[in-house]
């Protein structure tokens, strides 16, 4: 069943929903990457929670006008307006008062969300024709989604993605160095506003599938996941889009076979699995890699210090160092250096001496920043430079 | 009424002697909150010269630069660059911000940062071509960083970071270079590399303005000085404006006796 869902064999509608969720995931991941790089991740939380009152009001207005109140476009327009109002409150509070932005976000999102919940309760207690299943917008639901809805979501997602693509350069510059961007003729305030507009679009488009409470996760988790794998902003954006799309795809496909499961949480959990795997396994910034690197570093320090002690004829006391030296065959079990140990110790001692020359040299001293007590001079200096250093070592100045 | 008109009406605007000066500032006032940081400052930078902006901490040096560039919105004042407004001349200006103003853990490589200097030319969608990469490489070479293009910026030393910023400014191919404390916290080799590049730029006819802290090197590095302590305290060629009385007026009691003696000695 799951395999069928993942391979999109559960019918036309499910396939379309899955495609919509994937497009949304890619758009959310890429947009969220810029939000993450700009260090404004939390703002998306205010945006998403602020959609609720608009959603409910849009429903009420559409019903009052004699409609059914279920038109997705109408609901999206309402939530976009109230999200914009929430965003305006956050920026006005942090700009014109002494309220810091994080506090403003907390205040605004809870007030808007509270107001929205009150409206929802009112809607549910009053018989207003067919209720639109507005609760479904809290946690997302693809059950009973219309064909037109899926099209709106897919098209919205692709439009956001196209906008992110066009704006990638200004968004990157402003995230890295806003002052420089301003001198390049980029209006930082406008670029930031554009980013917020994209975040709002993702939120509003994603309401139906992921729900407003969890859309934040779709914006932020893929970016954080991507950051583990790369040191380049452009790749962070691409990878975040990929991870977001994958999570959207898996989440929607899964809820196609289990319509009772809310889609949003499944997407978020899929994102989390990708995040956890990345955190553990990423080659450079991952936790395991960092742990191994640190172990290796410790070993190198112990070995080098042990060898230096041996080279100077001192006794090595520390148990771990002795173990390492013996393991490398540099020391006999009784603590006496072996022949290879003596050779290695002499080499390390010469390396230290070379570094000393490098530090003192006028034209090589720049390279001395690479001296961390571990890196051999051979890794930093060219053969010619080493020959030069050794020449100076060979003829110590007369004292 | 715009702040500009206000200045003009009060008759505070200086007579228009700016001509085509690379950077002319008139009646510039900048405040943070209700605290003026720069107060009614006029400045005229000489074409093809290297000018140091000097003054004590908190005197508004960096703020003056930022306001001149439109990074900070001034309360009042007028800026012309080569005789024109800022918007018409942005592609002739290169700005090197303080090193500490960005997050060096940002995921980007050295060559990407320098490439940002070309974004103005590339526009939104222009493709990065071989000639752009060559230009980036040439600018890195000019500051002695040609082997570092693929490095993550977080792995650089402070001096190397500063040189990358300078390379980005060079990539812009500007005529006016504004630098905010380019020598702060860099090693001696970097300071030499940077000053050499800046002198080359000046010799090519470019104009360089730098916020500068080290009074002992003003004389050897710069042609002109601009003294500021919220208000303008002096301006002109080093021989005329960089005098002990002017410095004492600028720094108040904050100039150590030893410094004064040394400067007097340097002045001959």
């Amino acid at each position: 069943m799951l395999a069928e869902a993942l391979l999109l064999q559960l019918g036309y509608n499910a396939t379309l929903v899955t495609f919509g969720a994937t497009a949304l995931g890619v758009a959310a991941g890429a947009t969220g990457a810029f939000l993450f790089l700009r260090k404004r991740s939390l703002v998306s939380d205010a945006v998403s929670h602020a959609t609720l009152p608009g959603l409910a009001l849009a429903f009420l207005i559409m019903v009052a006008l004699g409609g059914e109140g279920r038109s997705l476009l109408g609901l999206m327009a309402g939530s976009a307006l109230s999200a914009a109002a929430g965003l305006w409150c956050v920026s006005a509070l942090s700009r014109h008062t002494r309220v810091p932005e994080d506090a403003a976000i907390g205040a605004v999102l809870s007030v808007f969300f509270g107001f929205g919940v009150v409206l929802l309760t009112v809607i549910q207690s009053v018989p207003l024709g067919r209720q639109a299943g507005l609760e479904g917008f809290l946690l997302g639901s693809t059950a009973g989604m219309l064909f037109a809805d899926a099209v709106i979501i897919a098209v919205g997602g692709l439009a956001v993605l196209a906008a992110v693509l066009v704006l990638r350069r200004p968004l990157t510059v402003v995230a890295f160095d806003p002052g420089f961007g301003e001198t390049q003729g980029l209006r930082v305030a406008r670029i930031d506003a554009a980013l917020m507009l994209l975040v709002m679009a993702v939120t509003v488009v994603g309401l139906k599938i992921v729900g407003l409470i969890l859309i934040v996760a779709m914006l932020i988790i893929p970016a954080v996941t991507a950051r583990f794998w790369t040191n380049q902003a452009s790749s962070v954006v691409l990878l975040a889009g990929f991870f977001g799309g994958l999570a959207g795809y898996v989440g929607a496909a899964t809820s196609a076979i289990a319509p009772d499961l809310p889609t949003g949480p499944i997407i978020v959990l899929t994102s989390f699995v990708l995040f956890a795997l990345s955190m553990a396994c990423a080659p450079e910034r991952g936790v395991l890699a960092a742990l191994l690197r640190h172990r290796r570093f410790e070993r190198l320090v112990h070995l080098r210090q042990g060898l230096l002690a041996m080279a100077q004829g001192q006794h090595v006391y520390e148990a771990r160092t002795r173990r390492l030296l013996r393991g490398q065959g540099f020391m006999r079990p009784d603590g006496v250096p072996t022949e290879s140990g003596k050779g290695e110790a002499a080499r390390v001692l010469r390396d230290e001496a070379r570094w000393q020359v490098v530090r003192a040299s006028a034209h090589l001293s720049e390279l001395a920043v690479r001296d961390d007590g571990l890196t051999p001079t051979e890794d930093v200096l060219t053969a010619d430079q080493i020959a030069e250093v050794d020449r100076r070592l060979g003829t110590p100045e007369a004292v | 009424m715009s702040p500009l008109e206000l200045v003009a009406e009060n008759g505070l605007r200086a007579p228009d002697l700016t001509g085509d000066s690379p950077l002319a500032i008139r009646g510039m006032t900048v405040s943070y909150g209700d605290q003026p940081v720069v107060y009614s400052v006029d400045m005229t930078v000489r074409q093809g010269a290297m000018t140091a902006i000097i003054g004590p901490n908190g005197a508004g040096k960096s703020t003056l630069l930022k306001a001149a560039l439109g990074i900070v919105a001034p309360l009042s004042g007028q800026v012309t660059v080569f005789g024109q407004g800022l918007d018409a001349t942005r592609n002739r200006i290169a700005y090197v911000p303080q090193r500490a103003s960005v997050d060096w853990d940002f995921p980007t490589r050295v060559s990407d940062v320098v490439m940002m200097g070309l974004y103005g030319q590339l526009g939104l969608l222009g493709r990065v071509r071989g000639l752009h990469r060559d230009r980036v490489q040439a600018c890195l070479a000019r500051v002695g960083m040609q082997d570092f293009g693929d490095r993550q910026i977080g792995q650089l030393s402070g001096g190397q970071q500063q040189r990358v910023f300078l390379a980005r400014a060079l990539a812009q191919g500007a005529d006016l270079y504004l630098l905010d404390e380019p020598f702060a916290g860099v090693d001696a080799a970097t300071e030499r590399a940077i000053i050499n590049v800046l002198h080359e730029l000046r010799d090519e006819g470019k104009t360089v303005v730098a916020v500068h802290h080290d009074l002992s090197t003003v004389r050897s590095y710069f042609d002109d000085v601009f003294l500021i302590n919220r208000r303008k305290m002096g301006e002109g060629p080093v021989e005329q404006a960089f005098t002990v009385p002017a410095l004492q007026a600028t720094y108040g009691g904050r100039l150590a006796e030893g410094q004064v003696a040394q400067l007097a000695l340097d002045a001959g």
Side-chain angles (χ1 to χ4, degrees):
Chain A
M1 193 68 170
L2 182 66
E4 282 177 359
L6 287 175
L7 293 172
L8 304 175
Q9 288 165 351
L10 283 181
Y12 191 53
N13 221 23
T15 304
L16 201 71
V17 169
T18 308
F19 179 71
T22 309
L24 174 73
V26 175
T31 309
F34 282 111
L35 204 58
F36 167 71
L37 292 174
R38 185 84 174 102
K39 300 189 175 56
R40 301 194 66 196
S41 301
L42 214 53
V43 180
S44 59
D45 215 12
V47 171
S48 59
H49 281 77
T51 54
L52 190 54
L55 191 75
L57 286 174
F59 174 77
L60 287 173
I61 291 172
M62 283 191 286
V63 169
L65 292 177
E68 241 190 307
R70 291 191 61 166
S71 151
L72 185 58
L73 272 183
L75 295 173
M76 279 166 66
S79 41
L81 284 177
S82 82
L87 206 55
W88 183 83
C89 289
V90 170
S91 81
L93 273 175
S94 47
R95 194 170 306 162
H96 299 303
T97 70
R98 286 177 173 266
V99 179
E101 193 181 47
D102 56 342
I105 287 170
V108 168
L109 84 85
S110 48
V111 170
F112 271 72
F113 190 65
F115 180 45
V117 169
V118 169
L119 287 176
L120 268 194
T121 319
V122 171
I123 288 172
Q124 272 162 350
S125 63
V126 179
L128 274 171
R130 283 173 61 191
Q131 289 182 1
L134 288 188
E135 326 79 58
F137 285 92
L138 289 179
L139 291 174
S141 145
T142 52
M145 194 190 273
L146 300 174
F147 173 76
D149 296 351
V151 170
I152 291 172
I153 291 167
V155 169
L158 292 177
V160 170
L161 200 60
V164 169
L165 204 69
V166 170
L167 291 175
R168 65 190 193 280
R169 279 180 190 148
L171 286 171
T172 309
V173 169
V174 166
F176 173 59
D177 191 347
F180 171 77
E182 195 80 58
T183 66
Q184 289 278 77
L186 300 174
R187 296 289 147 82
V188 173
R190 271 188 226 167
I191 305 289
D192 277 340
L195 180 58
M196 285 307 130
L197 208 66
L198 290 173
V199 168
M200 231 166 71
V202 165
T203 308
V204 168
V205 170
L207 278 183
K208 182 77 184 164
I209 292 188
V210 196
L212 61 93
I213 297 181
L214 292 176
I215 189 82
V216 179
M218 248 190 141
L219 285 159
I220 303 312
I221 299 180
V224 182
T225 308
R227 185 68 180 92
F228 280 114
W229 296 95
T230 174
N231 277 327
Q232 246 183 300
S234 53
S235 315
V236 170
V237 176
L238 285 176
L239 275 176
F242 170 73
F243 287 133
L246 191 60
Y249 168 72
V250 172
T254 311
S255 74
I257 46 170
D260 288 341
L261 284 178
T263 322
I266 294 178
I267 292 180
V268 172
L269 289 178
T270 312
S271 279
F272 170 73
V273 170
L274 293 172
F275 167 80
L277 286 176
S278 304
M279 185 175 78
C281 305
E284 202 182 313
R285 298 174 71 93
V287 172
L288 282 178
L291 206 69
L292 288 176
R293 203 165 47 232
H294 190 68
R295 292 276 302 181
R296 194 172 151 268
F297 167 78
E298 280 184 341
R299 276 171 42 109
L300 280 175
V301 171
H302 279 281
L303 255 183
R304 182 144 175 138
Q305 286 176 343
L307 286 168
L308 276 176
M310 273 170 35
Q312 285 152 353
Q314 292 161 357
H315 188 72
V316 178
Y317 290 99
E318 210 200 352
R320 181 166 179 198
T321 311
R322 289 174 68 104
R323 212 165 48 239
L324 282 167
L325 287 169
R326 280 201 303 273
Q328 296 285 320
F330 294 150
M331 184 188 265
R332 293 193 333 219
D334 58 1
V336 177
T338 62
E339 278 311 307
S340 76
K342 281 181 196 158
E344 188 65 12
R347 198 190 61 75
V348 169
L349 195 65
R350 193 184 60 218
D351 206 44
E352 286 286 310
R354 279 177 180 166
W355 273 120
Q356 219 152 23
V357 174
V358 171
R359 273 193 297 273
S361 149
H363 62 286
L364 293 178
S365 62
E366 246 185 283
L367 296 166
V369 290
R370 300 271 313 269
D371 173 24
D372 49 10
L374 295 175
T375 312
T377 36
E378 285 95 343
D379 290 1
V380 178
L381 305 184
T382 62
D384 288 351
Q385 287 170 328
I386 289 184
E388 179 196 335
V389 168
D390 284 350
R391 256 198 318 281
R392 284 200 229 174
L393 271 176
T395 53
E397 281 177 48
V399 183
Chain B
M1 186 168 32
S2 81
L4 260 181
E5 293 167 60
L6 195 74
V7 173
E9 257 179 37
N10 292 347
L12 287 174
R13 188 151 25 176
D16 192 22
L17 302 170
T18 57
D20 293 340
S21 159
L23 177 65
I25 298 171
R26 289 292 165 263
M28 171 81 75
T29 297
V30 190
S31 69
Y32 291 138
D34 296 334
Q35 191 67 343
V37 188
V38 170
Y39 193 80
S40 196
V41 165
D42 295 340
M43 179 185 193
T44 309
V45 171
R46 189 156 59 94
Q47 159 75 40
M50 265 189 69
T51 304
I53 300 180
I54 53 182
N57 286 330
K61 303 184 292 291
S62 299
T63 305
L64 179 69
L65 218 53
K66 285 183 188 160
L69 284 160
I71 299 172
V72 172
L75 200 64
S76 69
Q78 187 191 24
V79 179
T80 57
V81 176
F82 297 105
Q84 289 175 290
L86 208 50
D87 284 327
T89 47
R90 284 202 190 277
N91 57 358
R92 298 183 69 184
I93 312 171
Y95 169 57
V96 179
Q98 277 184 25
R99 203 155 41 79
S101 65
V102 306
D103 168 18
W104 290 94
D105 195 35
F106 191 89
T108 188
R109 294 173 310 180
V110 166
S111 55
D112 298 328
V113 174
V114 180
M115 188 66 82
M116 284 180 197
L118 294 172
Y119 279 1
Q121 285 178 35
L122 282 167
L124 284 181
L125 295 172
R127 253 189 56 207
V128 173
R129 293 172 193 282
L131 69 110
H132 298 117
R133 287 194 201 94
D134 292 347
R135 178 151 179 81
V136 164
Q137 198 53 31
C139 293
L140 279 172
R142 205 163 164 191
V143 297
M145 292 285 289
Q146 60 280 4
D147 299 331
F148 291 81
D150 289 332
R151 280 289 181 89
Q152 159 71 15
I153 54 166
Q155 296 170 351
L156 303 179
S157 71
Q160 291 169 334
Q161 292 173 348
Q162 191 69 58
R163 285 195 249 176
V164 171
F165 265 179
L166 182 59
R168 179 178 67 180
L170 291 173
Q172 289 178 259
D175 297 316
L176 170 64
Y177 292 80
L178 303 175
L179 303 91
D180 200 345
E181 301 209 14
F183 307 114
V186 304
D187 52 289
T190 296
E191 181 153 344
R192 272 197 306 275
I194 292 179
I195 197 66
N196 285 340
V197 171
L198 295 181
H199 281 159
E200 280 168 30
L201 287 172
R202 177 194 56 191
D203 297 342
E204 293 164 17
K206 317 279 190 191
T207 306
V208 179
V209 179
V211 172
H212 192 58
H213 248 310
D214 183 3
L215 295 180
S216 68
T217 49
V218 169
R219 221 168 269 283
S220 51
Y221 287 177
F222 293 93
D223 309 312
D224 290 2
V225 288
F226 183 86
L227 302 169
I228 180 171
N229 190 353
R230 254 196 290 178
R231 295 160 199 271
K232 171 165 127 183
M233 307 302 287
E235 180 179 31
V238 169
E239 316 81 65
Q240 291 159 30
F242 191 66
T243 60
V244 172
L247 284 168
Q248 273 169 335
T250 309
Y251 283 80
R254 276 176 279 193
L255 212 55
E257 300 242 332
Q259 271 177 301
V260 177
Q262 187 58 45
L263 288 167
L265 212 63
D266 290 346

